[in-house]
Amino acid sequence: MKTNRRDLLKLGVAAGAAALGPLRVGAQETSGPLMRSIPSSDVRIPAVGLGSWITFNVGDDPVLLASCADVMEAFFAAGGTVIDSSPMYGSSQATIGYGLEKLNRSDDVFAADKVWTRDSDAGASQLELSRSRWGVPDFDLAQVHNLLAWEPHLETLFAMKQAGSLLHVGITTSHGRRHGEMEAIMGSQPIDFVQLTYNPVDREAEERLLPMARERGIAVLVNRPFRGGSLADHLAREPLPDWATDIGASSWAQIILKYILSHSAVTCAIPATTRIDHVQENVRAASDPLPDEAMRQRIADHIRSV
Amino acid sequence: MNEWLSYRLSDFVMFSARVYERQIELYNREFAGLQILALCLAVTMIWICLRRPTLANRIVPVILGLGWLWVAWSFLWRRYAEINLLAEYAAIAFALEGAAFLVLALRKRGVAVQLPSASMSSLALAVIALPLFFYPLIAPLTGSPIAAAEFFLMTPDPTALGTLAILAFSGTRLRWLLMIAPTLWCALSAAMLWTLDLPSSRVLAAALPVVLILAVVRGLRRTSAASSP
């Protein structure tokens, strides 16, 4: 029987699971993307993942499904493993399931999904429906989407984690909303992950949430790194600054991602895309050198000025 | 409240323009041939209104009722709901609207529709012709594939707009009630598709107020005529 990281983690053997390396067959940390540890489990994941909001919501269109699978193939080939979705994202979960089956990657992906329902009792059944759409044995991470009915859902997720059918538990917000409530939960609940919006323009998380995550050993997923594409589109009209080469960036997208990843509390950024070249470019951004504090300020100032 | 104000409409649109157009293309391919039937029904409806007004009182609501039910099931429920969470609710609203038309068709007077035949103004002509006959041209005229053309009685936008245009010429007092669902749909769809920069959203957004103003003006004229000695 094949033993993978999920099996070991279910048995509580975090160290053994960590020793197996990332959730990807054949991953080499020396040549692949920058890896980050999840503080609560020591599992290491690549610092750039793949979001699925809008981009993977393609219905049953065979042409677009194949196109999404191509993006996933390029993502895995570049060394990525973390894919994030939600029941709120239309057909995105089914698209991911299609891609994983087509690429035979169901055991390799770090599967992150969410619970999104006001019904306190429907969390487990919704997660099971999501899991069947993904076609994975279990989720590596289940998050309470936008803190919706977070108290009963966290209770459900913690029970699932205790029972071994879930590896990590988290909460999410986006667009900089409800940071106060998120901070309160981070201070009172034993969560493994938070997901929030952070980029060189939306920096509110730097004030309290990111320091708190670092202090309490909570992993951080960063959504909307390009503000849903609008930031990257806006910057595309501007020439790349000379200092981009100092941090090994060849595009605005890489500058933004390197800014995000250079915050020590950030575990993984999850940009979404429909393009193979963009997904490759994104994963390549998870590499040294990352900007130091002075360069981070320069990036933020420059982007704000344009 | 402040949190809701921080949302933009685009935050609620969960699919891309390309995906939307591809859904229309796949739908047209799935039901290839029905577009011709839909156009024929539209022509029939207008012809009956002009030549057989008494018969139109029943035929028009039957065609509209079946059309709304068809769009509810075939497009909104089966296809659009795959990519748009709002479409399930819209499908229910479309089904109720379709059922309402069919029930009204059973009434003794049906749904009276009086098109201004001889003196039909160019505005009135345009208001009716756009959703019924010219809406399918928007896609090819704006650079989209002709396969992404939207037809009255096939997809929700021209169906809702065409229904509003017909109801604007209706004498039934229930027309205002019947206009709620198509008005809300046109406004919602125009707003959603506008964020995707789809050309049809401009047409929808421009035509909706024109149709509503026309309905109000005709309603006022009718009231005035009825109350004059």
Side-chain angles (χ1 to χ4, degrees):
Chain A
M1 185 180 135
K2 181 182 171 188
T3 302
N4 60 25
R5 175 187 329 282
R6 282 197 184 89
D7 299 325
L8 288 171
L9 278 169
K10 272 190 214 172
L11 296 169
V13 194
L20 279 181
L23 271 165
R24 175 176 156 262
V25 175
Q28 297 296 320
E29 289 199 27
T30 51
S31 60
L34 197 66
M35 306 294 287
R36 294 271 165 87
S37 287
I38 300 167
S40 64
S41 66
D42 283 336
V43 170
R44 290 173 68 75
I45 56 174
V48 168
L50 185 61
S52 60
W53 168 242
I54 295 181
T55 52
F56 279 12
N57 183 22
V58 299
D60 62 351
D61 187 330
V63 172
L64 298 184
L65 279 170
S67 174
C68 290
D70 290 343
V71 169
M72 289 173 65
E73 185 173 23
F75 172 71
F76 284 122
T81 64
V82 180
I83 300 181
D84 177 79
S85 193
S86 167
M88 186 198 170
Y89 297 175
S91 64
S92 294
Q93 294 173 323
T95 301
I96 293 167
Y98 169 88
L100 292 177
E101 186 179 14
K102 184 177 181 183
L103 303 171
N104 194 23
R105 289 286 195 170
S106 298
D107 287 330
D108 304 332
V109 66
F110 184 95
D113 209 284
K114 306 183 187 82
V115 174
W116 180 64
T117 171
R118 289 189 189 282
D119 186 344
S120 307
D121 301 322
S125 57
Q126 186 182 66
L127 208 57
E128 173 55 23
L129 180 61
S130 299
R131 189 203 62 74
S132 68
R133 287 175 175 156
W134 278 66
V136 293
D138 292 305
F139 281 120
D140 296 284
L141 166 63
Q143 306 150 96
V144 180
H145 194 150
N146 283 346
L147 307 182
L148 186 65
W150 65 266
E151 284 172 296
H153 291 328
L154 274 188
E155 204 173 299
T156 302
L157 298 182
F158 286 138
M160 290 175 70
K161 183 181 173 186
Q162 185 73 30
S165 59
L166 178 63
L167 300 184
H168 304 94
V169 174
I171 55 175
T172 81
T173 181
S174 68
H175 301 71
R177 298 184 183 106
R178 302 179 73 177
H179 279 194
E181 199 171 352
M182 178 171 256
E183 185 181 340
I185 299 169
M186 289 168 73
S188 63
Q189 303 290 326
I191 52 176
D192 304 296
F193 270 87
V194 289
Q195 183 180 140
L196 45 80
T197 296
Y198 177 52
N199 57 57
V201 179
D202 301 307
R203 298 176 60 188
E204 191 188 330
E206 287 176 357
E207 293 170 18
R208 296 188 65 85
L209 295 184
L210 291 176
M212 190 173 183
R214 186 170 47 206
E215 181 190 319
R216 295 186 65 86
I218 299 171
V220 177
L221 286 184
V222 172
N223 60 36
R224 294 177 60 81
F226 307 137
R227 303 189 110 195
S230 63
L231 181 58
D233 291 345
H234 179 71
L235 291 170
R237 295 190 285 268
E238 300 294 326
L240 209 60
D242 296 338
W243 44 258
T245 53
D246 297 345
I247 54 172
S250 58
S251 67
W252 278 110
Q254 289 191 332
I255 291 175
I256 293 168
L257 287 172
K258 279 175 176 280
Y259 173 88
I260 293 167
L261 299 180
S262 63
H263 195 292
S264 59
V266 170
T267 311
C268 178
I270 46 171
T273 180
T274 56
R275 286 176 50 171
I276 289 173
D277 57 337
H278 284 179
V279 80
Q280 291 166 334
E281 183 181 72
N282 292 344
V283 178
R284 276 201 303 272
S287 60
D288 289 322
L290 292 176
D292 58 17
E293 196 50 47
M295 180 61 86
R296 282 172 52 79
Q297 194 57 48
R298 191 174 189 179
I299 292 170
D301 291 343
H302 187 87
I303 288 179
R304 194 169 294 120
S305 72
V306 298
Chain B
M1 185 63 188
N2 284 340
E3 185 185 314
W4 281 106
L5 291 176
S6 69
Y7 282 93
R8 293 178 303 170
L9 185 63
S10 58
D11 294 331
F12 297 98
V13 180
M14 50 191 287
F15 50 88
S16 67
R18 187 183 178 217
V19 168
Y20 179 78
E21 286 192 338
R22 283 283 303 166
Q23 287 297 317
I24 303 284
E25 285 182 51
L26 291 171
Y27 175 69
N28 279 335
R29 194 179 304 162
E30 183 179 8
F31 296 108
L34 284 188
Q35 295 81 4
I36 304 296
L37 176 64
L39 280 174
C40 290
L41 285 173
V43 171
T44 304
M45 207 163 60
I46 299 303
W47 184 84
I48 290 179
C49 284
L50 293 173
R51 299 299 173 96
R52 300 279 190 275
T54 313
L55 195 59
N57 292 355
R58 289 190 190 283
I59 296 295
V60 169
V62 166
I63 291 176
L64 289 177
L66 292 176
W68 277 73
L69 286 171
W70 169 254
V71 172
W73 175 77
S74 66
F75 186 78
L76 291 169
W77 187 264
R78 288 178 63 249
R79 185 164 290 284
Y80 203 17
E82 284 274 309
I83 61 164
N84 186 350
L85 297 178
L86 292 176
E88 275 187 23
Y89 303 102
I92 294 168
F94 267 61
L96 290 173
E97 180 84 358
F101 273 117
L102 292 179
V103 169
L104 289 176
L106 297 174
R107 289 196 321 171
K108 192 175 179 182
R109 293 173 55 194
V111 177
V113 180
Q114 294 132 7
L115 298 185
S117 55
S119 58
M120 187 180 273
S121 69
S122 53
L123 178 64
L125 186 66
V127 160
I128 290 177
L130 171 70
L132 268 63
F133 305 114
F134 293 114
Y135 215 89
L137 299 177
I138 295 173
L141 288 177
T142 54
S144 296
I146 194 164
E150 296 195 50
F151 288 81
F152 179 65
L153 302 179
M154 289 289 291
T155 55
D157 292 1
T159 302
L161 190 62
T163 301
L164 280 177
I166 290 165
L167 287 173
F169 294 99
S170 170
T172 178
R173 274 182 289 182
L174 289 172
R175 67 184 180 283
W176 300 113
L177 204 58
L178 292 168
M179 287 172 79
I180 293 174
T183 300
L184 289 177
W185 175 262
C186 286
L188 179 69
S189 187
M192 282 195 301
L193 302 186
W194 192 289
T195 67
L196 301 178
D197 207 22
L198 280 167
S200 63
S201 67
R202 270 76 165 164
V203 176
L204 200 55
L208 177 61
V210 173
V211 176
L212 292 179
I213 289 169
L214 187 71
V216 170
V217 169
R218 289 190 62 82
L220 290 175
R221 277 186 189 167
R222 199 173 287 119
T223 307
S224 168
S227 60
S228 61

